[in-house]
Amino acid sequence: MMNQIKHEQIAHIITKQHNLEQAMLAEFEAGTYTIDNPLVKLNPYGVCPLTAMVLFETPVMTEATIVVKGKEHPGDIRHTFPASKKHILPVYGLYVDYENTVEIVMANGQKNTIRIQTGPIHPDVPLATSIKTTPEYMGHNMMFLTAAMRAMPVGYDYAGDVRWYSNENFAFDVKRMPNGHILIGTERLVKMPYFTTGLYEMAFSGKIFKEYRTPSGYHHDQFVMEDGNILVLSFDFYSGTVEDMCLLIDPNTGEVLKSWDYKNVLPQDVAGSGSQDEHDWFHNNAVWYDKKTHSLTFSGRHQDAVINLDFETGKLNWIIGDPEGWPQEMVDKYFFTPVGDGEFDWQYEQHASVILPDGDVMLFDNGHFRAKNKENYLANSKNFSRGVRYRINTEKMTIEQIWQYGKERGSEFFSPYICNVEYYNEGHYMVHSGGIGYENGETCEGMAVMKVMQPEFKDSITFNSITCELKDDVLMYELHVPANCYRAEKLPLYYANETAELGAGKLLGNLIETQTTKMKIKAQETGQLVPDHYEASIMEEEDRMTFNAIFETGEMAQLLLLDEAGEVRRYPVNTVAQNFQAMCVGTFQKADPRNVDLFINKTGLSGKYQVKLIAEEKLYETGVTISA
């Protein structure tokens, strides 16, 4: 049996959302909606099921306040919108699987109470197992956790109730921008294990205003500068290494204004952490811009090193980390010497380094292996993770440990990967240990997130994520979630002066041109369609296509694109099972390693192309033509 392979044309999420918005506005225009009879749209943009839009008209300009009633009074979420006659009001903070009570209160005293019923929670959204805090401490803030495995981004209130989540795998960190929007990684994979096309700028309604596409892809972290430009962690797609570049992106055009390649300032074959490999030699997981010193700070997990570069020249200023294994001339020039009477530990495989207002450096010290030398590696069960604050003197090149939290909790708080810290104010910090794993209830040796993908371990592995906040060393907040969560960010759902921002979103920047190969595989032309056992399919998007099929490991295969003039482009299909030493986001992992995706960007393509497959030394038709 051979049929034309499945070919699906998928509109970009921005296009889909524009269509949803236009339909909603057309419905609003066509009806007579008043405060007593408003139009209510649950999940208006299709990606955030605990949000709604309430639309109605008033005869005169007046302010409107929305109050989403909590299950208890402190759970009320309210926001006042500017005066208008046409009211289009985003509603945030609905409870899951619940008949929510929402009050609309007008400035002139008019009121109405509406009910909004939400559906059951997505199975990949983790429910909190415990929370210790007070409503006074949390106020209107939610704790947002982003996923590190099969989990969705989610926001919990003071009581540990889910009040926001997305049903899309938006990846890595969520950050609030100065304009109130949030910035989060897209769900569009460009390369395994977790590199995506770039970033979405969106509202908590799910409305996406912009996709910032980066040529080679995005991972881990981003930072919005005062002038609006965005620092984005990336890599060079065809260099053979990953997670070792940073880009500066123009927020209006998506253009890459500047880039920093750490291969220019660091050796790639010295002082590796226990997780290092040639491909992922640095594993950059954080970026921070410091205005005072006009410098960039990057965390490199696979060198146990936090590095600082001059913003303009890209020159290396300093390195924080255990100097063992580094060339002596680098140790003499760039490394710090510990001082002070207090306790001191170097950090290992750290995450989320930030520069504080006084120049101190704060980070999450995962402590994985906790040594540079294999003989001294610590077992996970005897190890600890912590938030730590270091004071550095760049004149004398000294370092002092001035605060830490987590060491005293031992292996219970140990996360070999992911995690973050946040500085709110002097003495007021968050420490998020999001990568805790257990095997049969005991601290898991090795990486639980890797083991759970193997059938023999599947039932014995469990996960935890512990998010703590401390004020003057008093524990003010502790949340436990039975999943691994990449980072935690505390944010209110609404920002000051938030309104519904309407209109089509923009697709900015460009994806890299996908490399072809000149190598021809000898293949017999069959004139037949791709055999069914490949389970082949093509998903075509506006800016790229994805070919998916099941191949035997190591099978020789190529995808061919034939243009209207008969010119052939050949794309190699990688059928070799890949082994990743680091798995910060396992969301995109597949159970069957033979299940292969080939992404072909439409950058550099123009016109119509017939798609053909070479496999088993035979040339097969797919029956599919794509357009670029």
Side-chain angles (χ1 to χ4, degrees), residues 268-284:
Q268 288 102 72
D269 54 357
V270 302
S273 81
S275 302
Q276 190 191 52
D277 62 18
E278 237 177 290
H279 178 62
D280 192 4
W281 64 276
F282 187 68
H283 194 93
N284 184 198

Side-chain angles (χ1 to χ4, degrees), residues 34-35 56-66 79-89 104-111 499:
T34 64
I35 180 172
F56 60 93
E57 290 191 63
T58 50
V60 293
M61 294 279 286
T62 175
E63 279 187 353
T65 297
I66 286 279
H79 183 71
T80 299
F81 297 89
S84 180
K85 284 185 179 182
K86 272 194 177 165
H87 303 272
I88 301 174
L89 313 179
I104 310 167
V105 184
M106 308 309 287
N108 62 9
Q110 249 193 311
K111 271 186 184 179
T499 58

Side-chain angles (χ1 to χ4, degrees), residues 20-30 39 55 88 502-503:
L20 284 170
E21 187 176 275
Q22 291 299 99
M24 175 176 73
L25 294 175
E27 191 180 342
F28 182 35
E29 289 301 320
L39 174 62
L55 304 89
I88 301 174
L502 305 173

Side-chain angles (χ1 to χ4, degrees), residues 219-233:
H219 65 91
H220 283 94
D221 203 9
Q222 65 275 8
F223 187 101
V224 183
M225 297 186 55
E226 266 183 23
D227 59 8
N229 290 339
I230 305 167
L231 292 161
V232 182
L233 296 186

Side-chain angles (χ1 to χ4, degrees), residues 222-473:
Q222 65 275 8
F223 187 101
V224 183
M225 297 186 55
E226 266 183 23
D227 59 8
N229 290 339
I230 305 167
L231 292 161
V232 182
L233 296 186
S234 189
F235 62 106
D236 175 353
F237 207 85
Y238 295 113
S239 68
T241 61
V242 290
E243 308 192 30
D244 52 10
M245 282 186 78
C246 179
L247 310 177
L248 184 69
I249 304 275
D250 182 310
N252 302 311
T253 63
E255 183 195 347
V256 177
L257 303 173
K258 194 171 167 64
S259 65
W260 297 265
D261 185 337
Y262 323 142
K263 291 191 288 294
N264 297 335
V265 293
L266 293 174
Q268 288 102 72
D269 54 357
V270 302
S273 81
S275 302
Q276 190 191 52
D277 62 18
E278 237 177 290
H279 178 62
D280 192 4
W281 64 276
F282 187 68
H283 194 93
N284 184 198
N285 56 39
V287 53
W288 192 269
Y289 171 73
D290 180 45
K291 191 178 169 185
K292 274 188 195 163
T293 54
H294 195 36
S295 69
L296 295 169
T297 301
F298 301 108
S299 162
R301 176 184 190 245
H302 289 178
Q303 285 192 330
D304 300 319
V306 172
I307 66 169
N308 181 269
L309 306 187
D310 181 273
F311 184 91
E312 294 303 334
T313 64
K315 194 175 77 48
L316 184 61
N317 291 326
W318 49 255
I319 300 174
I320 293 176
D322 183 342
E324 187 182 340
W326 287 85
Q328 193 56 46
E329 65 273 18
M330 288 193 76
V331 174
D332 295 342
K333 193 170 177 187
Y334 299 115
F335 281 78
F336 294 93
T337 303
V339 294
D341 306 328
E343 197 183 343
F344 186 90
D345 292 292
W346 288 117
Q347 88 288 350
Y348 297 89
E349 295 208 351
Q350 75 293 320
H351 282 74
S353 47
V354 300
I355 304 293
L356 306 190
D358 65 356
D360 283 359
V361 182
M362 196 168 168
L363 52 86
F364 189 92
D365 168 20
N366 296 78
H368 195 208
F369 301 110
R370 206 161 280 287
K372 298 300 280 179
N373 188 321
K374 273 201 171 94
E375 281 82 84
N376 302 328
Y377 283 178
L378 272 191
N380 293 355
S381 56
K382 297 188 165 49
N383 209 339
F384 61 90
S385 297
R386 63 192 179 139
V388 62
R389 180 173 177 172
Y390 293 122
R391 182 151 296 159
I392 57 171
N393 182 323
T394 51
E395 300 292 307
K396 297 179 178 168
M397 292 306 284
T398 57
I399 185 166
E400 186 180 359
Q401 180 176 301
I402 62 164
W403 179 87
Q404 67 173 9
Y405 174 81
K407 182 176 182 175
E408 65 285 1
R409 297 184 67 158
S411 62
E412 173 224 9
F413 202 66
F414 176 74
S415 283
Y417 77 129
I418 60 176
C419 313
N420 68 310
V421 292
E422 293 283 328
Y423 168 93
Y424 300 127
N425 220 314
E426 270 313 297
H428 190 192
Y429 315 125
M430 175 212 280
V431 182
H432 166 71
S433 186
I436 301 164
Y438 303 102
E439 189 175 345
N440 299 316
E442 302 289 322
T443 297
C444 180
E445 296 302 336
M447 297 284 285
V449 71
M450 306 280 203
K451 280 188 172 177
V452 80
M453 292 172 195
Q454 300 164 32
E456 65 270 31
F457 290 111
K458 202 166 129 296
D459 298 328
S460 59
I461 300 288
T462 51
F463 297 98
N464 198 17
S465 167
I466 304 177
T467 309
C468 297
E469 289 196 1
L470 300 110
K471 214 169 180 177
D472 302 324
D473 292 328

